[in-house]
Amino acid sequence: MEDLELYYERKMKDGVIAKRLLKYTTPHIWYFIWGLIVVFISVPLAAYNPILIKNITDNLVSRNIDINLIAINVIMMIIIMIVNAFAIYFMFYLLQKAGQKINQALRLEVFSHIEKLSANQFNLTPVGKLVSRVTNDVDSITQLYSNLIVGFLKNGLTALVSLIYIFALVWNIDILLGICAVIVMPLLIVATIIFRKVTKKAYREARTYNTEVNSFLSEHLSGVKITQIFNKEDAEVLKFKEKTNKHYKSNMKSLMAFSIFRPFIYFLQIISIVLVLYYGGNLIIEGVMTFGVLTALYDYLFRFYDPVQQISEQFDVLQSSFASAEKIFNILDTKPEIEDFNYAQDFEKIKGEIEFKNVWFAYNNEDWILKDISFKIKENEVVAFVGETGSGKTTILSLITRNYDIQKGQILIDGIDLKKYKLDFLRSNISQMLQDVFLFSGTIESNIKLKDDVYSDEEMVEAAKFVNADKFINRLPNKYQEEVRERGNNFSSGQRQLISFARAILHKPRIIILDEATANIDTETEILIKESLEKIMSIGTMLMVAHRLSTIQNADKIIVLNKGEIIESGNHKELLDKEGYYHKMYLLQFAEEDKIISM
């Protein structure tokens, strides 16, 4: 089985990442096209301002000042400023809107893909890591679409247009003056290449450590009660400090590179300005060039180097976006371990007959959890699995829902191989009720219906009545609209279990799975649940796992497991009469209960 953690760290070339990122612009291409049109209009227009300043300057230092000429140039500058202001607004609005649309689509795509991953893949991957991908990494990529794509072009075009104006101004004066302006370009290119390589590695590390911090927080905030009970707060703070130190150091690497790169660019800019002022000043003294031209050249040098600096900053963001994209694409490239086979199909209905034929299963290599398991469950039968912890009871239930695939043997439902069923169809006919009930934030109604509009309020209420959940729901101030807080922590274990029963019954399953569903509940609720179970047993085939043998005495069949093998099978009376493994379990459990009562 492929190690998902290692798979997430697979490196990608920038060209591959860029190509995949560009496909997300296709549905919103017109936003970018209009943004580019605005850039191609506004940049050359804005770059004409130094020429207007040149005209004004030359006019002011001349002996014959022309007020009308100054006024015309000032008016043109004002018009250009107003047009540019509207252009910037229009461009910003278009790109932000496109970026947010892409953000929404990408986040939905990543979440939808994560939802399809298999149970074992979730076991291998911390939840905090997945949360980081859907939130932080998607937001980082959004910056690419909102600012960088057109920003790179805008700054690049500004630098190019400024360079063209520089050589246009000096072409008929002295070409060496233009060379003075760009003589440091080779150093600039080399510095940019080095900076890009350094920051790429640093940002990749930063995203990895950021994910580790999120994973740590997700796990330890969920288990904060255990931390407090065992007085381990200081120890956990130290662990968190180690994680944040790694994150801090990785960010400092990129900051150090940036803190060196930006002053170096500024240093190159100063060298160019000094050379131009020195050489241009001599040309003015010689009467070859006007003061207005030198002023324009000075302005264009800033207009050339400022975009270069901005591009360097955008490289900073670009590396962050690419590092995030690499993480996201690794998730999207991770195929679910459990998928529909080519020959899988939907069937008319499922009756509920289940058969295991010589089934072998291991989570890792050949460390067998189930060994040559064979049994048959008839339609509408109630079958219980018992045995010590680790004997394979829960694993059998997981295999029926195809959370995992077996290595050897065959599992049949209604005489049809499990792999021939489409997963959606198979699981829509199975309901599971687990010991650790999960409720979503929302209301009781949303948790029973699972926000499925197919079911009416009347059907929901009937399902709640059927499992006795209505008895406590009707006592609540808002009844079915009562708020459910995170993980249902404002309800007792028994109440959460009854809600899960109602949820399962509403979806009309043909196979019902109960995995320790009656554990950890109070006596009053246990009575309600037992009454519910008696009703549920009439709905379809029921499979139960329970440590309390008192809850399975009425099962049609009890299968006893030990170390992944079936050692006994029969109903409660038959197994007691055999005086075997089940009989010993029964005597031991009831002896312990009598001991507790006597205390």
Side-chain angles (χ1 to χ4, degrees):
M1 186 178 296
E2 186 175 28
D3 189 338
L4 197 64
E5 287 291 298
L6 293 177
Y7 188 69
Y8 277 153
E9 301 305 321
R10 183 169 64 89
K11 303 292 187 296
M12 291 184 180
K13 293 181 179 179
D14 285 351
V16 174
I17 295 174
K19 187 177 180 181
R20 293 184 66 169
L21 285 171
L22 281 174
K23 78 170 187 178
Y24 291 98
T25 64
T26 305
H28 317 286
I29 192 65
W30 281 106
Y31 289 104
F32 294 99
I33 289 174
W34 280 111
L36 294 176
I37 290 172
V38 171
V39 167
F40 277 106
I41 293 172
S42 64
V43 168
L45 197 62
Y48 192 69
N49 270 332
I51 299 297
L52 298 176
I53 294 172
K54 165 191 165 294
N55 295 338
I56 293 171
T57 303
D58 284 340
N59 188 278
L60 288 172
V61 297
S62 67
R63 294 180 179 180
N64 300 314
I65 298 175
D66 188 343
I67 297 298
N68 291 330
L69 181 62
I70 294 174
I72 291 170
N73 281 274
V74 169
I75 291 169
M76 288 180 67
M77 288 178 65
I78 293 171
I79 292 171
I80 288 173
M81 289 171 62
I82 293 172
V83 170
N84 272 326
F86 279 103
I88 290 169
Y89 164 78
F90 190 56
M91 183 180 68
F92 180 81
Y93 174 78
L94 288 173
L95 297 180
Q96 288 298 321
K97 187 171 183 179
Q100 291 306 314
K101 283 179 175 289
I102 292 171
N103 178 296
Q104 184 183 32
L106 183 58
R107 184 165 286 159
L108 183 61
E109 181 182 356
V110 176
F111 179 74
S112 299
H113 185 79
I114 289 173
E115 288 275 280
K116 295 174 184 176
L117 295 178
S118 306
N120 189 54
Q121 291 170 302
F122 284 109
N123 294 338
L124 290 170
T125 310
V127 173
K129 175 171 283 192
L130 298 176
V131 171
S132 183
R133 297 292 171 265
V134 179
T135 54
N136 297 348
D137 288 327
V138 171
D139 283 339
S140 179
I141 291 174
T142 303
Q143 293 297 315
L144 178 70
Y145 298 105
S146 299
N147 302 315
L148 293 187
I149 292 179
V150 175
F152 267 120
L153 182 63
K154 179 178 179 291
N155 288 317
L157 186 61
T158 300
L160 178 62
V161 169
S162 299
L163 206 60
I164 292 171
Y165 272 114
I166 288 172
F167 280 97
L169 283 170
V170 302
W171 190 260
N172 294 322
I173 301 172
D174 192 334
I175 199 68
L176 285 176
L177 188 58
I179 294 173
C180 287
V182 297
I183 197 168
V184 296
M185 281 293 291
L187 289 174
L188 180 63
I189 293 169
V190 171
T192 302
I193 292 171
I194 294 172
F195 172 76
R196 184 169 170 270
K197 286 184 177 180
V198 172
T199 54
K200 179 181 179 180
K201 183 179 179 181
Y203 269 108
R204 184 177 278 147
E205 287 180 2
R207 301 313 300 180
T208 298
Y209 291 131
N210 181 64
T211 298
E212 288 186 8
V213 168
N214 286 340
S215 299
F216 185 91
L217 283 171
S218 177
E219 179 181 355
H220 287 77
L221 290 178
S222 297
V224 69
K225 290 181 180 179
I226 302 299
T227 302
Q228 292 172 343
I229 288 169
F230 288 94
N231 195 29
K232 293 292 182 182
E233 293 95 326
D234 292 341
E236 296 306 316
V237 168
L238 284 174
K239 289 180 185 177
F240 186 65
K241 185 178 180 180
E242 290 177 7
K243 300 283 185 185
T244 54
N245 277 340
K246 289 180 179 179
H247 188 230
Y248 166 78
K249 288 177 181 178
S250 63
N251 278 321
M252 283 305 297
K253 287 180 183 178
S254 60
L255 287 174
M256 282 298 294
F258 191 73
S259 64
I260 294 171
F261 180 74
R262 186 164 186 175
F264 184 70
I265 298 295
Y266 182 70
F267 175 70
L268 296 180
Q269 180 181 357
I270 295 300
I271 291 175
S272 296
I273 291 171
V274 169
L275 289 174
V276 168
L277 290 177
Y278 176 78
Y279 195 78
N282 286 328
L283 293 176
I284 292 173
I285 292 170
E286 293 171 5
V288 178
M289 185 176 76
T290 66
F291 188 75
V293 172
L294 186 61
T295 305
L297 286 173
Y298 181 80
D299 198 339
Y300 279 125
L301 279 173
F302 274 98
R303 287 174 178 269
F304 175 75
Y305 280 99
D306 279 350
V308 170
Q309 281 193 342
Q310 288 184 42
I311 288 173
S312 69
E313 293 177 15
Q314 288 170 334
F315 263 125
D316 204 37
V317 180
L318 179 68
Q319 295 303 333
S320 177
S321 297
F322 271 37
S324 294
E326 185 178 64
K327 303 288 184 185
I328 287 175
F329 290 147
N330 274 309
I331 283 189
L332 294 176
D333 290 341
T334 303
K335 293 183 179 179
E337 291 176 355
I338 307 298
E339 292 184 290
D340 287 327
F341 288 89
N342 294 333
Y343 49 80
Q345 58 182 298
D346 293 331
F347 291 84
E348 186 176 346
K349 64 177 181 178
I350 284 180
K351 296 178 181 178
E353 182 183 280
I354 303 168
E355 184 176 4
F356 275 50
K357 286 186 175 181
N358 309 108
V359 170
W360 290 73
F361 174 76
Y363 291 105
N364 296 304
N365 300 321
E366 293 190 358
D367 184 13
W368 301 110
I369 304 299
L370 300 179
K371 307 169 187 176
D372 199 25
I373 295 290
S374 296
F375 61 81
K376 188 170 184 177
I377 300 172
K378 296 178 183 176
E379 179 185 349
N380 293 327
E381 254 191 336
V382 178
V383 176
F385 296 90
V386 299
E388 294 180 355
T389 300
S391 59
K393 306 182 297 296
T394 299
T395 298
I396 288 175
L397 304 184
S398 295
L399 294 177
I400 292 170
T401 56
R402 266 201 79 202
N403 287 337
Y404 305 90
D405 277 337
I406 60 176
Q407 284 83 11
K408 300 179 187 178
Q410 193 176 28
I411 301 175
L412 307 173
I413 292 183
D414 296 344
I416 301 170
D417 192 302
L418 195 67
K419 294 177 181 179
K420 292 184 179 180
Y421 289 94
K422 284 190 175 181
L423 281 171
D424 289 347
F425 175 78
L426 173 69
R427 292 171 180 172
S428 67
N429 283 276
I430 300 174
S431 280
Q432 296 187 74
M433 290 164 275
L434 310 175
Q435 178 181 349
D436 184 18
V437 177
F438 188 93
L439 297 183
F440 295 94
S441 300
T443 63
I444 291 178
E445 178 187 356
S446 66
N447 272 278
I448 294 177
K449 290 184 179 181
L450 292 178
K451 298 182 180 179
D452 195 334
D453 295 332
V454 171
Y455 304 105
S456 66
D457 290 345
E458 290 75 18
E459 288 176 306
M460 175 187 66
V461 172
E462 283 300 313
K465 285 181 179 178
F466 190 82
V467 298
N468 293 326
D470 65 313
K471 289 181 170 59
F472 87 86
I473 293 175
N474 287 327
R475 292 199 297 267
L476 299 171
N478 300 310
K479 296 184 170 52
Y480 290 90
Q481 299 306 316
E482 186 74 16
E483 179 190 6
V484 177
R485 294 199 289 268
E486 186 178 3
R487 299 184 69 88
N489 58 26
N490 54 326
F491 294 97
S492 69
S493 297
Q495 289 172 333
R496 291 199 298 270
Q497 196 60 265
L498 289 171
I499 291 173
S500 79
F501 279 15
R503 177 165 62 195
I505 296 307
L506 181 64
H507 290 77
K508 300 177 176 62
R510 290 299 306 142
I511 299 172
I512 303 166
I513 292 174
L514 283 82
D515 190 354
E516 293 292 345
T518 57
N520 303 327
I521 53 175
D522 57 86
T523 306
E524 182 183 354
T525 309
E526 184 180 1
I527 294 170
L528 293 176
I529 288 178
K530 282 184 177 180
E531 291 177 5
S532 303
L533 289 177
E534 290 176 5
K535 295 178 182 178
I536 294 172
M537 286 176 184
S538 63
I539 291 177
T541 305
M542 178 179 284
L543 310 178
M544 304 173 64
V545 167
H547 283 298
R548 291 187 190 179
L549 301 184
S550 59
T551 61
I552 61 168
Q553 291 180 16
N554 296 325
D556 297 313
K557 185 188 294 182
I558 299 171
I559 296 175
V560 184
L561 295 161
N562 185 37
K563 296 179 180 179
E565 297 179 289
I566 296 176
I567 56 174
E568 289 179 346
S569 180
N571 60 36
H572 177 69
K573 186 178 182 306
E574 290 170 349
L575 291 174
L576 287 181
D577 291 342
K578 287 181 181 180
E579 297 187 358
Y581 191 88
Y582 181 82
H583 183 258
K584 291 179 182 178
M585 288 177 62
Y586 183 80
L587 292 178
L588 181 63
Q589 189 171 112
F590 278 87
E592 288 179 352
E593 289 181 3
D594 289 340
K595 185 178 178 181
I596 292 170
I597 293 171
S598 64
M599 291 174 66

